[in-house]
Amino acid sequence: MKNIYKIAIRNILRYKRRSLMTFLLIIVGVVMVIVFSGVSLSFKNMMVGQITDSMLGHLQIHKKGYLSSIDNMPLHLNINESEMNNIEKLFDNQKDEIEAYSLRIKLGAMLSNFQRTTNIRLTAVYPEMENKTCPNLISRIKNFSKEPDKFIQPGELILPENLANGMNLKVGNEVVLVATNKDGSVNGIGLEISGIIESFIGPTGRDGYIHIDDAKNLLRITENEVNEVTIRLKNINKLNRAEKSFGKELGKFVNKKGMPAFELHTWTNLSPFSTIAAIIDILIITVKIVLISIVLISILNVMMMAVYERVREIGTMSAIGTLPSKILWLFVTEGFFLGFISTVVGIIIGVLSLFFINLAEIHFSFGRMKNLLLETSIDSVELLTIFIIVMVVAIISSFQPALKASRMNPVDSLRHI
Amino acid sequence: MSLIELKGVDKTYLMGETKVHALKNVQLEVDEQSFTAFVGPSGSGKTTLLNLIGCLDKPSNGSVFVNRVKVNDFSNKEAALFRGKNIGFIFQTFNLLPVLTVYENVEYPLFMVQNVPEKKRDERVMKYLDAVGMTDQKDKYPSEISGGQNQRAAVARALVTDPKLVLADEPTANLDHENAFKIIELMKQMQRDLGTTFIFSTHDPKIVKEAKIIFNLEDGKIINKEILSNGN
């Protein structure tokens, strides 16, 4: 085996210029994929992190039918206390997967500063639960200086930046919230603005926050009812598995009509950014296909040339008694090394490129988010995937010329000029 | 005892649309440990005959026996295994592998064909390099040595597996007169020392005289067999 490797390497070095061109082509391809994957995946993960960690969480549970009428913020589709107890028991059984969960009441209300009135969407939360489930939420609150677990207290309102600007409201101002409860009666409470929250992309990006006790008071809810349960997983990469497992367990709860009582949604069902994330994934796959084509064509070309130029050598090896399988192995090994060396070099250069991109501290804007720092990274699984792709394609593309070499008639080969 | 036996061998092949009868009803026996030459002009069938004996080609009709084994019906793999075990080859254009040194070229059949352990390989390679007088050139590549030295290395490569038979197709055609005789003399010496059967083809009348047995070929037929007293 050692000798086959030696012959393969020497044959690669024998055609220095041609081998160098092939190496360069594959190296450029690998670097291109690593840089593109590193930048785009980092961007995607950063955006997904922002969305899930500051707003949506990873999974959400609602009463069946809630999501389809979410724009109306219905109050008759609340999860009652006994149902909540059942869900919490389910969470106890899934402790290994769940990091935290938050109970929410989403509502619409009228906001008045005693001069002007506008409508507002509100998310009422328990601050400790919310902070554990969406730990980046507080980073969106301007000049935030409180304890994170107490970011909203009864009597306080965190107002979306857009509304604060439009109504000329500041922290410390008094406002009144007026809302209709599920029975149709109207109620109002006075609150003090405790913070201004920056807007965010997505349908719920203009939400204000109040304490859940104030929501209950405003809506005259006497029991422990919520209309949204947001879950944060310990590992977002296990989202699909968690969705299946929770979905199966939640499916066991049925309403009076025998239909599922709850619905479970991942963040991808709730945010339009999931489409962008899917497009990024498609682009990465496209770039990988380009890499596959580069490797396939360049190695196929160089190996076909090698076989054509070494017909007499192949004839000699065959005449001496070299088995066809060993001749095949010899040429496949050449293709393997072409792929291996260039992939390793490409991966090193690619990772170094990402390192230098990080050193350059490139900033960008996305929607309302300004001055985002591009922090590229690529995980070892992605690098291993690229390595395996190139190696498999290198072996496949050298197999056809190698097979041709192994099947050559020694008489014809020895006669070849 | 015959090492090689050909019975009623025909070989026909197509050259474009023309059918070429390369060998016609060849009957042949070559004794073990002999030093034999196939002689004839270009196109007389020398190389075709060597190819059939060397299991590189198959006859259109008739039977070929090498070392009492019928080799006609071998698959490619069986033929390769048989060649690797029983037959050494010397080529007109030396055919050393250019990426290997002289030492590695001689070693090649031992690791690629016979899977001989490394320590034993070294002993055998050095023994044959010494026998052909190429020890001091062992680390050079074929492109760095003369044609004569290339052919010496090729002789060592052909013999290193201790084959029963060595086939040499025009081994002196690419050498000057002096080197040609040196190679033939080396082959004769190896035949004497090792008892290996040598068959070579040539159309050089001076080289022919070095053989013990001569088969003259013309138009694909063996027209006569000569046994020379000054040969072996």
Side-chain angles (χ1 to χ4, degrees):
Chain A
M1 194 61 87
K2 190 179 77 180
N3 287 296
I4 287 184
Y5 293 158
K6 179 174 71 184
I7 296 172
I9 292 280
R10 287 195 194 167
N11 274 317
I12 289 170
L13 296 174
R14 175 179 177 183
Y15 305 105
K16 285 190 182 68
R17 196 174 301 173
R18 190 194 305 163
S19 298
L20 190 67
M21 289 299 289
T22 310
F23 282 138
L24 283 176
L25 261 175
I26 300 172
I27 287 168
V28 167
V30 170
V31 171
M32 192 174 76
V33 172
I34 288 175
V35 170
F36 185 80
S37 299
V39 170
S40 53
L41 276 177
S42 305
F43 168 72
K44 187 185 105 176
N45 292 339
M46 186 170 70
M47 295 307 297
V48 171
Q50 286 282 340
I51 290 165
T52 58
D53 292 354
S54 70
M55 193 167 65
L56 292 179
H58 297 150
L59 290 162
Q60 289 190 359
I61 298 171
H62 302 101
K63 204 72 180 283
K64 186 74 180 172
Y66 183 86
L67 197 71
S68 58
S69 51
I70 195 168
D71 285 341
N72 303 328
M73 304 214 162
L75 294 169
H76 65 286
L77 290 172
N78 285 358
I79 301 168
N80 64 35
E81 192 166 353
S82 72
E83 288 170 330
M84 197 56 237
N85 287 340
N86 287 333
I87 291 172
E88 282 181 324
K89 273 182 201 163
L90 176 68
F91 290 164
D92 285 342
N93 296 333
Q94 306 276 355
K95 272 180 185 168
D96 292 345
E97 295 191 38
I98 296 176
E99 173 87 26
Y101 64 92
S102 177
L103 308 178
R104 293 172 171 176
I105 296 174
K106 298 209 133 187
L107 67 149
M110 300 295 288
L111 171 80
S112 171
N113 63 355
F114 307 105
Q115 292 169 336
R116 279 183 290 170
T117 303
T118 186
N119 56 353
I120 181 171
R121 297 154 60 105
L122 292 162
T123 303
V125 296
Y126 292 108
E128 192 178 342
M129 287 180 111
E130 185 68 16
N131 184 49
K132 284 187 176 129
T133 310
C134 295
N136 280 358
L137 173 64
I138 53 169
S139 68
R140 288 168 51 206
I141 302 171
K142 283 184 165 181
N143 305 319
F144 181 76
S145 59
K146 290 184 180 174
E147 254 184 73
D149 280 352
K150 293 178 182 170
F151 73 90
I152 185 86
Q153 291 296 304
E156 292 178 349
L157 166 69
I158 295 175
L159 196 62
E161 190 181 20
N162 286 350
L163 288 184
N165 291 340
M167 296 188 72
N168 201 22
L169 290 169
K170 295 185 178 65
V171 173
N173 289 166
E174 296 278 337
V175 291
V176 172
L177 283 180
V178 178
T180 310
N181 69 9
K182 64 180 172 185
D183 299 327
S185 59
V186 178
N187 191 29
I189 56 169
L191 297 171
E192 182 187 325
I193 297 171
S194 65
I196 307 289
I197 190 163
E198 288 175 352
S199 299
F200 197 72
I201 55 166
T204 54
R206 298 177 70 237
D207 284 16
Y209 284 83
I210 57 173
H211 195 280
I212 205 160
D213 290 346
D214 288 336
K216 283 180 182 175
N217 185 17
L218 182 63
L219 300 171
R220 299 186 195 280
I221 296 172
T222 51
E223 293 179 14
N224 284 328
E225 284 182 17
V226 295
N227 54 24
E228 184 169 285
V229 182
T230 303
I231 303 163
R232 178 179 177 79
L233 298 173
K234 286 185 175 164
N235 185 355
I236 193 174
N237 295 325
K238 292 179 179 173
L239 184 67
N240 291 337
R241 207 178 78 179
E243 184 193 12
K244 274 185 193 167
S245 133
F246 289 143
K248 194 178 164 189
E249 292 299 317
L250 279 174
K252 291 175 184 170
F253 301 109
V254 290
N255 57 24
K256 287 173 188 168
K257 292 177 185 170
M259 302 296 286
F262 305 110
E263 55 189 20
L264 179 74
H265 300 283
T266 63
W267 74 267
T268 55
N269 305 131
L270 303 164
S271 167
F273 185 77
S274 62
T275 312
I276 298 173
I279 291 169
I280 290 172
D281 289 339
I282 291 168
L283 284 174
I284 291 172
I285 290 169
T286 309
V287 175
K288 280 179 184 163
I289 291 170
V290 172
L291 172 71
I292 289 169
S293 310
I294 289 172
V295 176
L296 191 77
I297 294 167
S298 56
I299 293 190
L300 188 65
N301 176 54
V302 81
M303 292 311 296
M304 281 174 77
M305 294 278 281
V307 170
Y308 182 74
E309 286 172 358
R310 277 150 51 192
V311 172
R312 276 180 77 93
E313 277 176 45
I314 294 163
T316 305
M317 289 191 286
S318 180
I320 287 170
T322 311
L323 288 173
S325 57
K326 285 198 176 174
I327 294 175
L328 182 135
W329 185 237
L330 185 65
F331 280 90
V332 169
T333 306
E334 270 188 58
F336 172 86
F337 276 120
L338 275 170
F340 180 80
I341 295 167
S342 39
T343 310
V344 169
V345 174
I347 285 175
I348 292 169
I349 296 174
V351 171
L352 280 175
S353 304
L354 293 183
F355 174 74
F356 286 117
I357 289 171
N358 287 346
L359 272 188
E361 293 189 351
I362 299 167
H363 290 81
F364 68 100
S365 300
F366 187 81
R368 295 273 307 179
M369 292 179 285
K370 307 288 180 198
N371 209 30
L372 294 169
L373 177 64
L374 183 65
E375 285 180 295
T376 65
S377 67
I378 190 156
D379 63 20
S380 51
V381 175
E382 187 65 16
L383 290 178
L384 189 67
T385 307
I386 293 167
F387 179 78
I388 290 170
I389 287 174
V390 177
M391 293 320 301
V392 169
V393 175
I395 289 168
I396 289 171
S397 54
S398 56
F399 191 79
Q400 192 276 336
L403 195 64
K404 190 180 173 188
S406 72
R407 286 179 176 173
M408 276 181 181
N409 180 335
V411 174
D412 294 337
S413 309
L414 287 167
R415 211 183 283 146
H416 187 84
I417 299 166
Chain B
M1 185 181 278
S2 296
L3 179 71
I4 292 153
E5 198 176 347
L6 274 74
K7 292 178 182 173
V9 168
D10 288 334
K11 179 64 188 177
T12 311
Y13 57 85
L14 282 172
M15 190 174 274
E17 289 181 1
T18 315
K19 218 173 190 181
V20 179
H21 292 276
L23 291 176
K24 296 166 191 167
N25 193 27
V26 172
Q27 309 285 341
L28 172 81
E29 284 188 29
V30 177
D31 289 339
E32 220 167 305
Q33 301 188 8
S34 62
F35 196 71
T36 304
F38 291 158
V39 183
S42 291
S44 60
K46 303 185 297 291
T47 302
T48 306
L49 195 50
L50 285 173
N51 287 343
L52 292 178
I53 295 168
C55 309
L56 295 172
D57 209 352
K58 290 176 182 175
S60 307
N61 283 308
S63 303
V64 180
F65 293 87
V66 179
N67 200 22
R68 289 171 289 284
V69 176
K70 191 179 178 184
V71 299
N72 297 36
D73 306 322
F74 277 168
S75 66
N76 287 346
K77 186 181 173 183
E78 287 168 335
L81 286 168
F82 188 83
R83 287 195 299 269
K85 195 175 173 189
N86 297 286
I87 306 171
F89 287 88
I90 300 168
F91 304 96
Q92 180 181 337
T93 46
F94 327 130
N95 292 20
L96 295 180
L97 299 178
V99 294
L100 300 181
T101 63
V102 166
Y103 179 96
E104 289 163 343
N105 263 289
V106 178
E107 191 190 21
Y108 178 90
L110 299 178
F111 66 74
M112 259 324 231
V113 180
Q114 294 197 338
N115 299 318
V116 176
E118 195 166 351
K119 198 177 173 187
K120 281 191 180 174
R121 288 206 303 262
D122 185 59
E123 284 170 22
R124 278 164 72 173
V125 172
M126 290 313 292
K127 174 185 160 187
Y128 285 99
L129 281 176
D130 187 44
V132 300
M134 287 292 290
T135 312
D136 54 342
Q137 307 290 328
K138 71 182 174 71
D139 294 324
K140 290 186 177 168
Y141 286 91
S143 59
E144 297 169 341
I145 55 176
S146 69
Q149 288 172 322
N150 263 283
Q151 200 61 304
R152 280 174 174 274
V155 171
R157 180 180 67 182
L159 290 165
V160 77
T161 54
D162 294 332
K164 282 192 173 300
L165 170 68
V166 170
L167 301 174
D169 190 9
E170 304 265 12
T172 59
N174 274 19
L175 300 174
D176 59 45
H177 193 69
E178 188 187 344
N179 273 311
F181 272 93
K182 278 182 181 171
I183 288 296
I184 290 296
E185 192 51 48
L186 177 67
M187 285 164 54
K188 281 170 81 175
Q189 187 195 327
M190 294 292 115
Q191 188 268 332
R192 278 195 302 270
D193 296 349
L194 306 169
T196 310
T197 307
F198 274 79
I199 303 176
F200 67 98
S201 67
T202 184
H203 55 255
D204 184 338
K206 289 173 187 167
I207 297 293
V208 174
K209 288 173 190 169
E210 299 297 319
K212 180 186 176 187
I213 300 164
I214 301 168
F215 288 95
N216 285 296
L217 283 91
E218 204 174 285
D219 294 332
K221 290 178 183 170
I222 294 176
I223 53 170
N224 65 8
K225 176 183 175 183
E226 296 174 63
I227 300 173
L228 301 183
S229 56
N230 63 334
N232 191 16

